Amino acid sequence: MLKATISADIFKDTVDALSALVTECRLHFSETEIWARAVDTANVAMILLSLKKEAFSQFEATTGEIGLDIAKLKNTYSMMGKASEIRLEHLEGANKIDVTFEGYHYSITLLDSNTIKKDPNAPGIQLPGQVTISGSELYNVIKSASIVSDKIWFAIEPENKEFALYAEGDSDNIRRVFSAGEIIASNWEPARSLFSIDYLKDMGKVMSHAEKVTIDLGVDHPVKFSFEIAGGSGQVEYLLAPRIEAD
């Protein structure tokens, strides 16, 4: 059972974070939070998302899970005003979730959880490098790099105390270096990996709204992006596998 009221802004941020990678997921809820963990169809990227009860103006839940069609939830956006309060209600045993706001009432049929890919295990890999920068700055670099290539390097360069992102195309290239003064925080451990821009563009659009994004990085290892939503009452983590260049 879930009965909750949430602002339209937080609702949209949450759904957008999920839809950047998946079209469906299992949504879990308890007395203190809701959460989801899912991977994309190619098993290249993962999202871990949680919202504490403090993110809601009203929250009542018992332990359970439902199967969500993310696209159907996004379809409700068009009628939502910026200041809307969204009422969500799922009764135990029901196959629908009710979404109510500003006189509108959507009753959305749930997906059978058994038909949705199982929740992935959170990877236990330790990534040595860490840097924190502005979410909007990160997205600007990703957009710029997409003009010249479909892949981008992330590198922490401790000798210069710099965080570099660069893309190399057939004839053009682009490089953006963040100096120590532009970086919110870093442990300056060396790291360098290559990633697909197609995935990063979708993630980056979501991360552009975050004041800061923490990036955990290794050498030819996955990257982890961590940032807050809902004024700190929510947390999102994206993990993306690297692209390995052939020798």
Side-chain angles (χ1 to χ4, degrees), residues 60-92:
E60 181 183 356
T62 56
T63 301
E65 97 177 31
I66 55 177
L68 281 184
D69 185 322
I70 307 300
K72 286 184 177 180
L73 284 180
K74 290 200 74 166
N75 286 341
T76 65
Y77 283 13
S78 59
M79 301 307 298
M80 289 180 184
K82 185 173 179 61
S84 292
E85 285 278 301
I86 315 300
R87 174 72 176 173
L88 305 171
E89 184 170 353
H90 166 68
L91 300 179
E92 191 166 350

Side-chain angles (χ1 to χ4, degrees), residues 94-244:
N95 71 335
K96 294 180 181 294
I97 185 169
D98 294 323
V99 182
T100 306
F101 56 92
E102 295 183 347
Y104 290 90
H105 179 89
Y106 285 86
S107 188
I108 299 175
T109 301
L110 299 174
L111 302 175
D112 183 348
S113 294
N114 293 323
T115 67
I116 299 175
K117 186 181 293 187
K118 291 183 178 180
D119 291 348
N121 294 321
I125 187 171
Q126 295 297 313
L127 299 167
Q130 186 176 89
V131 62
T132 301
I133 63 172
S134 156
S136 60
E137 289 284 356
L138 175 61
Y139 184 45
N140 286 339
V141 179
I142 293 167
K143 286 192 299 180
S144 299
S146 69
I147 297 171
V148 303
S149 181
D150 63 352
K151 51 190 181 293
I152 183 172
W153 288 97
F154 283 51
I156 298 174
E157 301 174 346
E159 63 278 7
N160 303 317
K161 284 193 163 38
E162 293 176 344
F163 176 52
L165 297 97
Y166 53 97
E168 300 168 341
D170 293 334
S171 58
D172 303 315
N173 61 75
I174 186 169
R175 181 180 175 90
R176 170 66 162 101
V177 175
F178 291 86
S179 65
E182 296 177 280
I183 291 169
I184 298 170
S186 179
N187 65 1
W188 299 117
E189 289 293 329
R192 181 176 180 270
S193 295
L194 181 68
F195 302 100
S196 167
I197 287 180
D198 284 343
Y199 281 91
L200 287 171
K201 281 194 297 185
D202 292 334
M203 296 177 184
K205 189 173 182 180
V206 177
M207 293 189 288
S208 68
H209 301 296
E211 180 180 351
K212 58 183 181 179
V213 176
T214 297
I215 304 165
D216 289 278
L217 192 66
V219 177
D220 293 335
H221 276 71
V223 60
K224 181 174 75 172
F225 302 98
S226 307
F227 57 99
E228 294 180 345
I229 58 175
S233 294
Q235 178 76 16
V236 178
E237 291 183 3
Y238 286 132
L239 289 98
L240 178 64
R243 288 182 58 162
I244 305 299

Side-chain angles (χ1 to χ4, degrees), residues 32-61:
T32 59
E33 67 175 346
I34 66 170
W35 61 274
R37 187 165 65 222
V39 294
D40 76 300
T41 54
N43 292 317
V44 172
M46 179 188 300
I47 179 172
L48 298 89
L49 180 148
S50 64
L51 276 182
K52 298 177 183 177
K53 64 184 298 183
E54 288 77 14
F56 301 82
S57 57
Q58 184 272 332
F59 186 86
E60 181 183 356

